[in-house]
Amino acid sequence: MAEKKTNGANLGFENQLWAAADKLRGHMDASEYKHVVLGLIFLKYISDAFQSKYAELEAMKETEYTDPEDRDEYAAANIFWVPQEARWKRLQNSAKQPTIGKIVDDAMVAIEKENPTLKGVLPKDYSRPSLDKYRLGELIDIIGKIGLGDDESRSKDVLGRVYEYFLGRFAAAEGKGGGEFYTPQCVVKLLVGMIEPYKGRVYDPCCGSGGMFVQSERFVEERGGRLGDIAIYGQESNPTTWRMAMMNLAIRGLDANLGPHHGDSFHNDLHKDLRADFILANPPFNMSDWGGERLREDSRWEYGIPPVSNANYAWIQHFIHHLSPNGIAGFVMANGSMSTNTNTEGEIRKNMIEADLVDCMISLPGQLFYTTQIPVCLWFLTRSKRNGRFRDRSGSTLFIDARNLGSLIDRTHKDFSDEEIDKVARTYHAWRGEEDTGEYEDLPGFCKSASIEEIREQGYVLTPGRYVGAAEVEDDGVPFEEKMAQLSATLYDQFAEANRLEAVIRRNLEVLGYGE
């Protein structure tokens, strides 16, 4: 049987793990239960990584005089020190005991105590009465059979893929509004592929579980860069999601500054002085309760004061505020942001366009997101279109209509293929004048390079469909008269069939006593 395609990871054991974890769902909400599962996966991962290093040191003990209990050996290899009471083997052996919840909590406390970077990050409520301990033991048994942190698994980024898979499934399970932190992997890949964060400061002020950072780091490594070529700055307002991001980045060895705690980027900006080279973000759409009435005089509103009733243009100006002189921002927005004239939004957009900040706009197909059916688009803003890295693009904006790309991966969700992501990114790179990307050309129905004057003529609306026009239809060579005759014959057949069906329905209604 063909392997089912998912929106993120492709694992050999995902269905088994999901089915086992799903047993817990009868007793708690998906939003609560994901922390139970992801906390255990984190514990298994760092315990496996520790055990692998332990075995290596043990094997060299006689010849190299290594000590498997020497903490410095683990610190030097960027591996977390796992104390005796937190090692997975002990948890596994205790899985059937009624005290397993407290044993897991104690393990989490011990790991935080030994590893200050994880302080306050790990979940420690496995002993709560509402958590079924029999099911918890079953879950530990299942996770115990999966290799996560040994050398082979780490090289395959198994845990990262488990995280992605679960985040996607949880987002789907929680339904609309329940997983605003989760951005489909294909959208993250497209954002990263577009702005190419090779080196410098990467910032996400609403970072969720840290998916943008993981993809950025992967991008750097795939192109021969080093872990550490980019400096990561993030912020997240939800405390449990902030902890998830800290775990997600820790297991990948990513050194990130997500602030000392969770925080609201509007009211408690933890990176006030940061000017980032790259900004990647998927802010919550159309937030109406963001406390805008308390920020009327804020210095970030350079292009106009955003309305209290919608945070979209507050987010956009927050991104611009934190951009370095040559920086670029790529982010997700609801489609309405491209054309709204509600309150001050149209005026803010006009001011941004006249300041020549808008580099590229992409409209996306529907059904990409698990958590919202709102049509979305991607914005790309830059403070300088003639920074010397690419051709001078002053006064022009690229519009791409990607609504016809993507294919269904299940009944209701779409995904981009790598080829489609590459097609969109290469179009932008060619337009920017990057080497080895070919010569850019407008393609009706797909992409168009428009001047500020053309955007003015469209009333400062940034919807790509207004600019790219319709795709050319290939002539099939059939004479008009012949085609018209065929279409007319088909239409008359359909009229006849409609009349026949109407007569059948009328007869059935009469039989049921509802005739005219």
Side-chain angles (χ1 to χ4, degrees), residues 448-515:
K448 158 81 175 172
S449 179
S451 66
I452 283 188
E453 186 53 44
E454 289 173 280
I455 299 173
R456 286 186 193 121
E457 289 171 4
Q458 292 291 339
Y460 297 98
V461 169
L462 292 174
T463 309
R466 289 213 179 190
Y467 301 89
V468 303
E472 291 180 5
V473 178
E474 196 173 324
D475 187 356
D476 56 11
V478 180
F480 173 80
E481 291 76 11
E482 187 179 329
K483 186 178 288 183
M484 194 63 197
Q486 288 174 352
L487 291 172
S488 299
T490 303
L491 189 59
Y492 282 120
D493 286 345
Q494 289 171 340
F495 284 158
E497 179 65 7
N499 290 334
R500 188 187 68 78
L501 289 173
E502 183 182 347
V504 171
I505 293 168
R506 284 181 181 279
R507 276 199 304 276
N508 289 339
L509 285 171
E510 283 175 10
V511 170
L512 293 170
Y514 296 99

Side-chain angles (χ1 to χ4, degrees), residues 37-182:
V37 178
L38 293 177
L40 288 175
I41 290 174
F42 177 84
L43 205 55
K44 176 68 164 59
Y45 175 87
I46 64 166
S47 188
D48 278 6
F50 173 86
Q51 213 58 50
S52 179
K53 184 68 180 173
Y54 191 97
E56 179 189 325
L57 295 172
E58 181 75 24
M60 297 190 300
K61 193 164 64 174
E62 299 300 327
T63 54
E64 304 289 333
Y65 305 107
T66 53
D67 178 5
E69 294 292 337
D70 181 357
R71 300 177 188 207
D72 291 341
E73 295 275 9
Y74 298 87
N78 203 22
I79 290 172
F80 289 108
W81 170 262
V82 181
Q84 287 278 357
E85 62 268 37
R87 294 177 191 171
W88 187 265
K89 190 174 179 183
R90 179 167 182 268
L91 301 184
Q92 185 81 69
N93 292 339
S94 309
K96 298 293 187 291
Q97 294 181 17
T99 55
I100 183 61
K102 185 172 186 315
I103 292 170
V104 175
D105 285 344
D106 290 345
M108 296 290 189
V109 170
I111 288 170
E112 284 195 359
K113 189 177 174 184
E114 296 290 345
N115 301 278
T117 56
L118 294 175
K119 187 172 173 54
V121 169
L122 305 183
K124 296 180 283 292
D125 54 356
Y126 287 86
S127 58
R128 62 186 187 276
S130 60
L131 183 57
D132 184 329
K133 302 303 179 294
Y134 179 77
R135 300 290 189 198
L136 178 60
E138 281 189 330
L139 190 57
I140 289 173
D141 281 344
I142 294 288
I143 294 175
K145 294 172 186 167
I146 303 169
L148 288 173
D150 53 61
D151 287 343
E152 185 184 353
S153 300
R154 275 189 291 162
S155 69
K156 293 178 182 173
D157 191 23
V158 170
L159 184 61
R161 288 155 60 200
V162 171
Y163 254 88
E164 285 171 8
Y165 172 77
F166 266 79
L167 291 174
R169 291 298 301 257
F170 283 127
E174 287 173 40
K176 187 178 178 181
E180 64 186 25
F181 57 86
Y182 183 72

